[in-house]
Amino acid sequence: MNHNETFETVESLEAELVSLTESLWEQPELGLHETESAELLSSVLRDAGFDITEGIGGMPTAFSATYGEGEPHVGILGEYDALPGLSQTVSSNRDPVEAGAPGHGCGHNLFGVAGVGAVLAAKRAIDDGRAEGTVTFFGCPAEEILVGKVFMARDGAFDDLDAALTWHPSHLSAPFMAQTLAMNSVEYTFHGESAHAADSPQSGRSALDAVELLNTGSEFMREHVSDDARIHYTIPDGGGAPNVVPAEATAWFYVRAPTRDEVDRITDWLDDVAEGAALMTQTTMSRRFHTGCYDYVANHALSDALLGNMRLAGPIPYTDEDREFAAELQDTLSAETIEARTAQLSEERREAARSSVLYPDAQPSYDVGTVLNGSTDVGDVSWITPTAQFWAASWPVGTPSHTWQAVAANGSFGSKAAVYAAKVLAATTLDLFSDEALVAAAREEFEASVPGDYECALPEGTEPPFHLTL
């Protein structure tokens, strides 16, 4: 399909899209609290004539925006939550706008805006009679705590889709084909008895002792889980003054593994350890399940379509000024960091990447058949409908996500990657509208590659964890 008109439509929206990325970047909001960000994006689509549904999954900042009618029905996933403590000016020195405040270190100020641009371009094609079908933008909150799409999936938000598409900022441009780890997020809170730790310790029962025993028990579990599994934790509440026996303390765990079944087995074992820790310390324990997501299953048919349109749309038009700033940011990274970030590439691609501080040309996937050690709630969507996503070069080569260097890039030249991503998402949506064989191939592959039916991991009655400010 010729996508010149589609690309021209996105280019006509460029000023508006860049303005949206800047607005979100200037007002970063944490997951489940993205009130202004969600309203900004939904209002743009509401004003354009999309049908808006708000409050999906019990989350005020989750919404969908739908246009068109009939099949196929294509979903575009968007995110807009920021990260704590990553406030940063557009500068090559560590310089927070506000110390301790959030910042867009994962590029979600670009992420959601690209999806908005894509569905606006698809709407234009429908209105012009160049396409027939239904497109929905999903405003997905709280990806950083792996909550948004899980609760939306429980609500059935993605059940009617024929395909779902999305992207993510990165330091290279390629289809994202790796498997990710399924994950559970669980808090264990222990309740004991306070006492003077010196004068009457025998009167106390330390909740912190229970937390420490739980954490120690989890360390002994590591020998007996698969090499790809991950167990990590923090102590959000460990008590107060040392001379007061802590009456309450909390450990927060992430359990990750390549499959939902293994995550659940490890979590069941961890529950037993927590109960044992309470028994040993004569405390009581309460458990709060925050979220649980699936591993990501990439759809090759859709990913190939994305790559074709990445090549049609690219390279991302970075300027000499962009490259100069990118070089300044890259100079703040260690050689070890850059080496680690490019280790998956073939030697030929590594040499090409090393020679270019910005590497905006689309390339074939470099992670097919690998297991990424992180998690994404896009995984849940990929178990419900054929799903594909891609990386787009928004940062200097070698830049990790969740860093101040990424924040600075996302507030500057990264906006050009958002416009590029909008073109790719729009073009692939129109390919699905016009090519029944592509839709059928994606569905056939989905049914062969997804190893079972989707069952949301959330226990009955689980509510979104609004108290988490991460």
Side-chain angles (χ1 to χ4, degrees):
M1 184 174 182
N2 188 319
H3 290 304
N4 289 340
E5 286 186 69
T6 304
F7 294 161
E8 289 172 3
T9 298
V10 174
E11 288 166 4
S12 74
L13 297 168
E14 181 170 0
E16 180 180 6
L17 298 179
V18 170
S19 177
L20 288 171
T21 70
E22 292 171 347
S23 294
L24 267 61
W25 187 89
E26 290 167 358
Q27 188 167 326
E29 298 175 299
L30 298 177
L32 296 177
H33 303 280
E34 315 97 328
T35 306
E36 297 297 327
S37 301
E39 176 57 29
L40 178 62
L41 298 186
S42 64
S43 65
V44 169
L45 296 175
R46 183 183 292 108
D47 292 346
F50 283 70
D51 292 329
I52 307 296
T53 300
E54 298 177 310
I56 301 172
M59 299 172 292
T61 55
F63 71 93
S64 65
T66 300
Y67 194 85
E69 59 183 17
E71 297 179 342
H73 187 178
V74 179
I76 305 293
L77 310 178
E79 300 165 10
Y80 31 78
D81 57 325
L83 288 157
L86 279 180
S87 177
Q88 170 67 26
T89 60
V90 177
S91 167
S92 56
N93 300 308
R94 183 66 173 108
D95 179 27
V97 175
E98 179 184 348
H104 274 289
C106 214
H108 293 182
N109 65 305
L110 313 176
F111 193 154
V113 170
V116 169
V119 298
L120 288 172
K123 174 187 180 294
R124 179 80 62 84
I126 293 170
D127 290 346
D128 291 347
R130 293 185 288 114
E132 293 182 359
T134 304
V135 65
T136 297
F137 174 81
F138 292 95
C140 307
E143 188 278 335
E144 298 295 357
I145 51 175
L146 299 169
V147 163
K149 299 177 197 66
V150 177
F151 283 83
M152 295 172 79
R154 184 178 67 176
D155 243 17
F158 312 110
D159 290 353
D160 296 332
L161 296 180
D162 292 293
L165 304 172
T166 190
W167 76 293
H168 202 286
S170 187
H171 67 136
L172 299 169
S173 296
F176 174 5
M177 301 289 286
Q179 180 187 354
T180 60
L181 299 181
M183 188 276 286
N184 280 345
S185 171
V186 190
E187 273 188 347
Y188 301 93
T189 297
F190 295 89
H191 311 275
E193 293 288 340
S194 63
H196 193 297
D199 184 60
S200 55
Q202 69 278 9
S203 301
R205 295 294 180 267
S206 174
L208 179 59
D209 286 352
V211 163
E212 292 188 292
L213 285 166
L214 167 59
N215 294 348
T216 299
S218 74
E219 300 296 345
F220 284 99
M221 292 170 60
R222 296 183 193 279
E223 182 182 357
H224 307 289
V225 299
S226 72
D227 289 344
D228 289 325
R230 298 287 185 270
I231 306 170
H232 31 273
Y233 54 81
T234 60
I235 304 176
D237 176 14
N243 63 338
V244 178
V245 174
E248 188 166 292
T250 298
W252 181 13
F253 275 78
Y254 277 10
V255 176
R256 307 185 201 244
T259 68
R260 276 279 355 140
D261 286 345
E262 185 176 6
V263 166
D264 288 338
R265 287 197 302 271
I266 295 171
T267 304
D268 288 345
W269 188 359
L270 191 63
D271 290 346
D272 290 341
V273 175
E275 290 176 3
L279 184 64
M280 284 189 286
T281 54
Q282 295 187 340
T283 60
T284 60
M285 184 270 293
S286 58
R287 174 185 186 270
R288 182 168 183 175
F289 190 95
H290 294 319
T291 190
C293 70
Y294 274 67
D295 51 299
Y296 173 65
V297 182
N299 189 280
H300 290 240
L302 293 180
S303 298
D304 288 347
L306 284 174
L307 178 58
N309 288 319
M310 292 172 74
R311 287 170 167 161
L312 285 176
I316 304 170
Y318 289 127
T319 65
D320 290 342
E321 183 180 4
D322 297 332
R323 294 179 185 281
E324 182 178 347
F325 181 45
E328 293 175 5
L329 290 172
Q330 191 185 59
D331 284 344
T332 67
L333 302 172
S334 69
E336 291 79 9
T337 295
I338 297 172
E339 180 71 17
R341 287 285 284 160
T342 56
Q344 285 182 291
L345 303 179
S346 67
E347 187 57 38
E348 180 181 357
R349 292 193 205 170
R350 289 176 76 182
E351 286 300 323
R354 289 190 191 109
S355 66
S356 178
V357 65
L358 287 172
Y359 192 29
D361 297 278
Q363 54 186 308
S365 172
Y366 50 84
D367 53 12
V368 176
T370 66
V371 177
L372 189 69
N373 288 329
S375 306
T376 173
D377 56 8
V378 177
D380 286 64
V381 183
S382 76
W383 276 66
I384 296 169
T385 191
T387 303
Q389 55 188 328
F390 64 98
W391 306 110
S394 315
W395 315 323
V397 171
T399 303
S401 60
H402 297 203
T403 60
W404 67 262
Q405 291 92 341
V407 181
N410 294 330
S412 177
F413 53 79
S415 61
K416 294 176 181 177
V419 176
Y420 165 82
K423 292 180 178 181
V424 175
L425 292 168
T428 308
T429 298
L430 297 184
D431 285 341
L432 286 160
F433 281 178
S434 64
D435 189 347
E436 293 181 2
L438 175 58
V439 176
R443 174 58 58 177
E444 182 179 0
E445 180 186 338
F446 170 80
E447 292 175 352
S449 61
V450 174
D453 295 330
Y454 176 77
E455 295 182 13
C456 185
L458 299 174
E460 186 175 353
T462 303
E463 298 295 330
F466 295 106
H467 71 292
L468 298 180
T469 54
L470 298 177

